[in-house]
């Protein structure tokens, strides 16, 4: 089969399409003929040698995919050959075929194309497991999303609005903010020209928001804490702004704040299975009802993987970037 291979660690130019061995499946896995995969920041980190795949996992990038099941392990009961699915994977999406634990597979939503469904698993599982399962965001609360026009952000806006939450976003251009507003964001803040802390306080009568989903990390840490309401929850899922910060612990005490952080890729299969059950129960109905839609910036072929990575690292995109065999 063909796969996009990382020849050596470095810039986008190290990606190359090569002929590689087909994956083999275990008894509790299925083999998926890939229709599409979607880019995630973790792919660019893996390309640089900063985010290795889990032990025993596929060496190829790609944390999600959609496609058709072509082989089923002997212990798999739910799925059969020919099923159209999308899946959360530990790697290997940048290939024509990928082995997936059966418990990490979703039925492809009937209301979007099989290709577009490739952009749902990673964002849905990330947002639901962090903001809803852990930070317990609920109807009537306020929620700040940094990077509202990203793949994570565009999904988070929609699912939060579906569940009756008031949504704040930051983004770096009027075009990105307009896209967020079209998706339902209530308060749109240009972080390049506005102080998001001041704007959050202004829009909440000085209280702050209840939950923040942050991909920036260090450089935003204290400002995020300053933006939270009493009993507020900060969930960090990235550190594009660095991994170190100075903390005023007093504000944690004063406002009873909670700070949490987590990734998705290195969780156990059992933990991912729990998340996937919850996502299928709580998110998939919103997708099927047309209340949460895929936001796709652009689609590239495997042979254009270099250009796809350059687009992601330019941060000019809105929504997801897809890659097809």
């Amino acid at each position: 089969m063909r796969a996009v291979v990382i020849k050596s660690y470095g810039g986008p130019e190290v990606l190359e399409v090569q002929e590689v061995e087909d994956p083999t499946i275990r008894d509790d896995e299925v083999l998926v003929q890939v229709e599409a995969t979607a880019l995630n920041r973790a792919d660019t980190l893996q390309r640089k040698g900063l985010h290795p795949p889990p032990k025993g996992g596929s060496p190829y990038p790609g944390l999600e995919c959609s496609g058709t099941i072509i082989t089923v392990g002997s212990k798999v009961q739910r799925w059969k050959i020919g099923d159209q699915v999308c899946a959360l994977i530990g790697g290997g999406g940048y290939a024509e075929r990928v082995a997936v634990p059966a418990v990490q597979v979703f039925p492809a939503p009937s209301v979007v194309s099989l290709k577009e469904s490739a952009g749902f698993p990673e964002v849905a599982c990330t947002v639901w497991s962090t903001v809803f399962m852990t930070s317990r965001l609920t109807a009537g609360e306020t929620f700040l999303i940094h990077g509202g026009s990203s793949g994570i952000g565009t999904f988070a806006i929609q699912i939060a609005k579906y569940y009756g939450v008031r949504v704040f976003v930051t983004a770096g251009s009027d075009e990105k903010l307009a896209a967020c507003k079209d998706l339902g964001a209530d308060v749109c803040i240009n972080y390049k020209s506005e102080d998001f802390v001041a704007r959050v306080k202004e829009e909440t009568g000085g209280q702050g928001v209840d939950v923040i989903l942050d991909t920036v990390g260090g450089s935003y840490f204290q400002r995020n804490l300053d933006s939270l309401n009493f009993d507020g929850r900060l969930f960090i899922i990235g550190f594009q702004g660095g991994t170190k910060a100075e903390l005023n612990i007093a504000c944690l005490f004063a406002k009873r704040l909670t700070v949490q952080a987590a990734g998705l890729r290195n969780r156990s299969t059992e933990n991912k299975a729990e998340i996937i059950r919850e996502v299928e129960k709580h998110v998939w109905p919103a997708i099927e009802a047309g209340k949460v839609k895929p936001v796709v910036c652009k689609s590239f072929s495997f042979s254009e993987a270099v250009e796809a990575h350059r687009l992601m690292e330019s941060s000019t995109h809105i929504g997801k970037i897809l890659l097809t065999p």
Side-chain angles (χ1 to χ4, degrees):
M1 68 173 184
R2 294 163 60 251
V4 178
V5 174
I6 300 170
K7 294 183 295 180
S8 59
Y9 297 135
E13 68 280 355
V14 303
L15 299 173
E16 182 178 271
V17 178
Q18 296 181 5
E19 283 289 334
V20 300
E21 292 292 319
D22 274 22
T24 56
I25 64 167
R26 300 185 178 94
D27 291 343
D28 59 353
E29 293 182 330
V30 297
L31 186 65
V32 175
Q33 182 75 32
V34 173
E35 177 80 10
T37 186
L39 271 66
N40 291 279
R41 289 280 175 186
D43 302 347
T44 66
L45 295 175
Q46 180 174 339
R47 192 199 70 223
K48 296 172 184 176
L50 302 175
H51 190 51
K55 187 176 180 181
S58 170
Y60 315 120
L63 301 180
E64 55 193 335
C65 71
S66 62
T68 304
I69 292 177
I70 56 174
T71 308
V72 176
S74 60
K75 294 182 179 178
V76 176
Q77 296 183 333
R78 180 178 181 183
W79 307 106
K80 64 183 185 301
I81 292 172
D83 283 346
Q84 293 194 330
V85 298
C86 54
L88 181 72
I89 50 182
Y94 288 29
E96 289 181 320
R97 288 175 282 282
V98 61
V100 187
V103 293
Q104 292 177 209
V105 175
F106 295 100
S110 62
V111 294
V112 302
S113 70
L114 184 59
K115 177 180 173 180
E116 287 178 322
S117 71
F120 276 132
E122 180 74 16
V123 295
C125 291
T126 296
V127 172
W128 194 262
S129 65
T130 55
V131 174
F132 290 90
M133 292 175 70
T134 307
S135 293
R136 303 294 178 188
L137 181 66
T138 55
E141 289 195 310
T142 49
F143 175 36
L144 171 60
I145 306 160
H146 288 303
S149 61
S150 66
I152 290 279
T154 52
F155 174 85
I157 292 168
Q158 296 180 82
I159 196 65
K161 292 306 298 179
Y162 179 78
Y163 278 101
V165 171
R166 188 180 182 212
V167 174
F168 294 59
V169 299
T170 63
S173 73
D174 290 342
E175 180 189 8
K176 289 181 176 181
L177 292 172
C180 294
K181 188 172 182 62
D182 287 345
L183 290 169
D186 299 287
V187 179
C188 301
I189 305 166
N190 189 326
Y191 68 83
K192 293 181 179 178
S193 60
E194 292 185 84
D195 177 359
F196 73 80
V197 181
R199 182 74 186 281
V200 163
K201 291 291 184 69
E202 176 189 337
E203 295 283 350
T204 59
Q207 290 185 317
V209 294
D210 297 303
V211 176
I212 299 175
L213 183 63
D214 178 46
T215 56
V216 178
S219 63
Y220 272 17
F221 189 62
Q222 187 62 54
R223 295 168 71 194
N224 279 330
L225 299 181
D226 294 340
S227 300
L228 284 169
N229 194 3
F230 285 92
D231 297 308
R233 292 88 77 196
L234 167 62
F235 210 109
I236 302 168
I237 58 169
F239 37 85
Q240 294 176 45
T243 57
K244 295 182 180 179
E246 188 170 312
L247 166 65
N248 177 3
I249 298 175
C251 74
L252 295 178
F253 280 84
K255 294 198 287 184
R256 304 183 298 271
L257 303 182
T258 301
V259 178
Q260 294 170 298
L264 192 58
R265 186 180 198 179
N266 290 308
R267 293 178 186 241
S268 67
T269 300
E270 293 75 21
N271 188 235
K272 289 178 181 177
E274 179 187 0
I275 292 168
I276 282 161
R277 285 193 299 270
E278 290 292 305
V279 168
E280 188 171 349
K281 180 179 178 181
H282 297 287
V283 175
W284 245 236
I287 296 172
E288 292 288 1
K291 301 299 185 182
V292 175
K293 299 177 180 179
V295 180
V296 176
C297 175
K298 194 171 182 179
S299 178
F300 295 88
S301 66
F302 278 2
S303 61
E304 299 171 312
V306 171
E307 288 79 5
H309 272 234
R310 285 180 177 145
L311 175 59
M312 168 149 276
E313 291 184 315
S314 76
S315 293
T316 58
H317 62 291
I318 294 173
K320 298 288 286 189
I321 301 167
L322 302 184
L323 206 57
T324 60

